[in-house]
Amino acid sequence: MLGDEKGKIWIDGQLVDWADAKIHVLSHTLHYGSGVFEGERAYRGKIFKMQEHHERFHTSANMVDFEIPYSVQQINKAAEEVIRINNLTEAYVRPVAWHGPESLSVASTANSVHVAIAAWKWTSYFEIKDGQVPGIRLMWSDYVRPAPNVGPVFAKANGQYISGMLGKNKAMKGGYDDAIMLDYRGYVAECTGANLFIVKGGVLITPIADCFLNGITRKTIIEIAHEKGIPFMEKHFYPDELVQADEVFITGTAVEVQPITEIGTQKYKIGSITMQMIEAYKKCINGEA
Ligand code: PMP
């Protein structure tokens, strides 16, 4: 099982033993995907961008038509407690909110809301091998990011991860690391759990986040680009522009800044803007910027 089985998980205000953190099989969310979650990283015992994550946790719940029954401050405190009680320093933190088993109507309005926060040890992806950050390989997903009127596309809602899961499963079975998804218009969108950037002619470009999650890491990278005076543009673009890109990288709380060296048959070099972003993001998470 994932993580430290001897650790504690926070559930609805209580710290319980890892093995006792269980839910009922008739929980609404297990059947209909009516939950939301967060993915956070702690560095040296401190959760990076904690306030932003827990605000998004609340906003995601609102987009799925429910309220998190704890304030952002209470979730902040609970997450810090989980890190502390489990003696974690470099960690992944997973808050999740779900609906209980009171009703199995498709509607969730009669169901209780529950919240858990778990955390486990997680070391950085910034592993430098032979003087290089290793790049990853992507393949194209068969699934696209849907239009904003197909579902709550801006929420970090668990029911929305099916297409990502299928794309990533297929990619991994094919020997790739992740899948890249187009959107419903055929524009390049993002990966299954990370946003995407390209560099072309010294300009940093990212797809407009108008039908997928505008990641916290994506926003941090955009801030860094502005601070460093790197020419930057948000725009819609088709796969042919990605094929012609000089550099490609993805961003996310878990993957941090991850260079892409292959998309299908196309190969990319890890370029200087990607390396600058890796270094600058590393400084950010270390509290140096
Ligand atoms: N897109 C998706 C689908 C994701 O799951 C994530 C990870 N939360 C991201 C983008 C990146 O978001 P963030 O930088 O906030 O982790």
Side-chain angles (χ1 to χ4, degrees), residues 1 16 31 44 51 89 100 111 134 149 157 174-175 190-191 213 239 269 272:
M1 194 163 40
V16 303
H31 299 255
R44 292 170 300 144
Q51 181 74 14
T89 52
N111 296 75
N149 63 355
E190 58 165 358
C191 282
L213 205 66
K269 290 210 163 56
S272 70

Side-chain angles (χ1 to χ4, degrees), residues 56 145 156 161 190 192-195 213 215-217 251-253:
R56 184 170 70 183
R145 285 287 179 228
K156 200 162 165 61
Y161 276 77
E190 58 165 358
T192 63
N195 293 119
L213 205 66
I216 292 169
T217 322
T251 64
T253 300

Side-chain angles (χ1 to χ4, degrees), residues 2 38 51 61 76 101 106 124-125 129 142 166 178 181 203 241 245 254 257 259 267 270 288:
L2 181 67
E38 269 305 318
Q51 181 74 14
N76 287 351
V106 172
S124 183
Y125 268 50
K129 285 185 194 142
D142 299 331
L166 289 169
D178 199 355
M181 300 177 81
V203 182
E241 201 155 336
V257 180
K267 300 224 184 330
I270 303 175
E288 295 164 29

